Amino acid sequence: MPELSHGRRMLVLAICCMSLLIVSLDNTVLNVALPSLQRELDASTSGLQWTIDAYTLVLASLLMLAGSTADRIGRRRVFMAGLVVFTLGSLLCSLAPDLNWLVVFRMVQAVGGSMLNPVAMSIITNTFTDPRERARAIGVWGAVVGLSMAAGPLVGGLLVDSVGWRSIFWVNLPVGLAALLLTWRFVPESRAPRARRPDPVGQVLVIALFGSLTYAIIEAPHGTWRSTAPFAALALIALLALLRYEPRRPEPLIDLRFFRSAPFSGATVIAVSAFAALGGFLFLSTLYLQNVRGLSALEAGLWMLPMAVPTFLCAPLSGRLVGSRGPRLPLLFAGGAMTVSGLLFALFEAETSNATLVVGYVLFGVGFGLVNAPITNTAVSGMPTDQAGVASAVASTSRQLGQTLGVAVLGAVLAAGVGVGGSAAYADTFVTAARPGWWILAACGAAVLVLGALTTGPWARRTAERAAARLTTEERPRAGVGG
């Protein structure tokens, strides 16, 4: 990639952040629209779960494929293709005639979204070659995530109350088209010097694992054991096949040797736990505020600010703490805050009092704001430089998988307790039915706390050093071995 002027580099950063904003905003905005969707499309709780999980599931399945494809055929080309597909998917979502088509169009959106965030990060990394400039650029990138968290509930509430739920997808159209034109005009093409080879079998196995597991969890409260057991079995078979097949690949989709590093393994589980808590938290809170308290979408968005604002404020603070003190301190604070938040709801029914509801939201916002920055830092800690991008991609996949599982599991728990959404007993049974979900959320926070302590100490760093040495020196089997 040619050396760009300072102004051109800033413009490239702004274009990449535009893509991140629409992809990140899409989920937080949609959460506020869930009750409106439920009423207009006559959706069950599982239907609402699928509107979110269809998106995050496809993202989780395709992130690594999109990143390696961009390295191989050109980052600018894949990024522009992602903007086209995401914008088209958003338009189709706004025109969806029923829930089934909305879920399908959300999957189209996600195919485009999978080509945006990981590729945009690669573009930023290659545009900002000076380490200090790159660190500041990545800091701006992280702040955009916090901005989407803070603005999403308000923007979504305002649009849903004034225009209707379809308008939340219209926001993506002008931003996506502007980003497409600016990318075509100002972002130079770049490729990796040596791109990783495709792993189609590994990709199919990942899709089968994530998709069948999510389906089995979401549909379990509504179907019989016979209808969901085959999907649970398929998930297990796909997992075992991955563990058998991937180590035999010369360049696998998921290099299992990474997991010999305690910081990497810890970061993966922390990402799944933290984002599972986020997905479940937003799902339960939105339905409670609108369906039980009877608030409008905008009022629910305002009530979510005690969670969103601390997330926005703590994200850059966490980045500075990681830079100066390492990831241990922010992970411990994050895990502690998220655990206490979950316990407030599980033990004391915090949602039934305004004061405890705000305290619970603030604690969760602080915890989630602190947890994101250390995940990537811990995942790449000690990894060889040429493997850091792949390690970061696995961490990003873990985030999306966590959010998918959080909505699936907590939604299934809620559905089992309240039955069909919209029934007369819904409001009366919601708080009791949601209590096991809050216990799960507290357990996710405890996992962040414990793993943050275990995987950031001297022993963990030694395992990372040993794993990095093996990654550098070990030779993989020849490509013909094991298919």
Side-chain angles (χ1 to χ4, degrees):
M1 179 181 284
E3 185 67 28
L4 304 178
S5 67
H6 176 74
R8 182 80 172 270
R9 292 197 298 274
M10 291 298 106
L11 182 57
V12 170
L13 175 61
I15 294 167
C16 291
C17 286
M18 287 169 70
S19 74
L20 175 65
L21 181 63
I22 56 176
V23 172
S24 300
L25 199 63
D26 210 62
N27 264 341
T28 51
V29 167
L30 182 62
N31 266 281
V32 178
L34 288 178
S36 180
L37 274 169
Q38 189 176 36
R39 288 189 297 271
E40 285 195 32
L41 300 182
D42 193 26
S44 63
T45 300
S46 66
L48 297 180
Q49 289 170 270
W50 279 117
T51 61
I52 296 174
D53 274 359
Y55 181 83
T56 55
L57 181 61
V58 173
L59 272 183
S61 300
L62 298 182
L63 278 173
M64 287 183 287
L65 173 65
S68 61
T69 301
D71 287 343
R72 189 165 51 254
I73 70 173
R75 299 181 180 107
R76 176 175 175 265
R77 180 181 299 176
V78 172
F79 188 68
M80 290 179 66
L83 286 168
V84 170
V85 175
F86 185 87
T87 305
L88 176 61
S90 299
L91 176 62
L92 291 173
C93 286
S94 72
L95 301 173
D98 56 41
L99 186 72
N100 291 333
W101 279 110
L102 178 60
V103 170
V104 171
F105 296 149
R106 287 281 287 165
M107 295 173 74
V108 174
Q109 255 194 320
V111 171
S114 71
M115 303 182 211
L116 296 180
N117 287 1
V119 181
M121 179 54 75
S122 294
I123 292 172
I124 290 172
T125 302
N126 284 272
T127 300
F128 294 86
T129 53
D130 177 73
R132 278 191 170 184
E133 270 203 336
R134 181 182 295 171
R136 285 195 291 268
I138 293 174
V140 172
W141 172 265
V144 172
V145 177
L147 177 62
S148 71
M149 288 290 299
L154 279 181
V155 172
L158 186 61
L159 288 173
V160 171
D161 277 357
S162 59
V163 184
W165 66 265
R166 296 179 189 275
S167 63
I168 64 175
F169 297 107
W170 298 344
V171 176
N172 300 331
L173 305 184
V175 179
L177 290 173
L180 179 64
L181 293 173
L182 290 170
T183 302
W184 174 73
R185 177 67 180 84
F186 295 107
V187 176
E189 186 60 280
S190 65
R191 295 178 178 83
R194 181 182 174 277
R196 294 169 65 84
R197 283 182 283 180
D199 179 11
V201 174
Q203 183 62 60
V204 170
L205 289 173
V206 166
I207 293 172
L209 170 60
F210 291 174
S212 55
L213 177 62
T214 305
Y215 183 89
I217 294 171
I218 290 179
E219 298 301 327
H222 313 283
T224 63
W225 170 245
R226 287 185 178 181
S227 65
T228 55
F231 291 92
L234 178 59
L236 179 60
I237 292 169
L239 174 61
L240 295 175
L242 266 176
L243 296 176
R244 173 73 174 169
Y245 177 79
E246 290 296 279
R248 297 171 173 238
R249 287 278 304 173
E251 292 183 348
L253 184 71
I254 303 174
D255 196 328
L256 299 180
R257 296 178 299 172
F258 287 177
F259 291 94
R260 296 172 180 172
S261 163
F264 179 84
S265 298
T268 302
V269 180
I270 287 170
V272 171
S273 300
F275 278 76
L278 173 68
F281 183 93
L282 292 175
F283 190 80
L284 292 180
S285 296
T286 301
L287 292 179
Y288 171 76
L289 290 172
Q290 294 188 58
N291 286 352
V292 179
R293 286 205 169 193
L295 302 179
S296 68
L298 179 57
E299 290 169 334
L302 290 169
W303 266 100
M304 297 291 283
L305 282 179
M307 183 276 291
V309 172
T311 298
F312 176 66
L313 295 177
C314 289
L317 172 63
S318 177
R320 287 195 291 271
L321 278 174
V322 171
S324 60
R325 302 283 297 274
R328 188 183 186 88
L329 196 60
L331 284 175
L332 295 180
F333 278 125
M338 293 170 76
T339 302
V340 174
S341 174
L343 290 175
L344 268 178
F345 288 95
L347 289 175
F348 303 106
E349 297 185 350
E351 61 266 59
T352 58
S353 161
N354 288 344
T356 52
L357 180 65
V358 170
V359 171
Y361 280 9
V362 169
L363 284 171
F364 188 87
V366 169
F368 187 76
L370 291 172
V371 80
N372 207 15
I375 289 173
T376 301
N377 178 277
T378 309
V380 303
S381 174
M383 289 290 175
T385 306
D386 61 345
Q387 301 284 353
V390 182
S392 178
V394 174
S396 297
T397 300
S398 301
R399 290 181 177 97
Q400 297 300 331
L401 177 62
Q403 193 163 351
T404 302
L405 293 177
V407 174
V409 173
L410 270 73
V413 167
L414 179 66
V418 300
V420 179
S423 66
Y426 185 93
D428 295 332
T429 59
F430 187 98
V431 172
T432 302
R435 190 175 299 150
W438 292 114
W439 277 111
I440 294 170
L441 193 147
C444 288
V448 173
L449 177 65
V450 173
L451 290 170
L454 291 177
T455 62
T456 55
W459 164 79
R461 285 193 292 271
R462 288 194 295 271
T463 68
E465 291 164 3
R466 288 195 295 270
R470 290 189 182 118
L471 284 166
T472 304
T473 59
E474 284 183 5
E475 289 188 6
R476 283 198 161 271
R478 294 183 182 274
V481 177

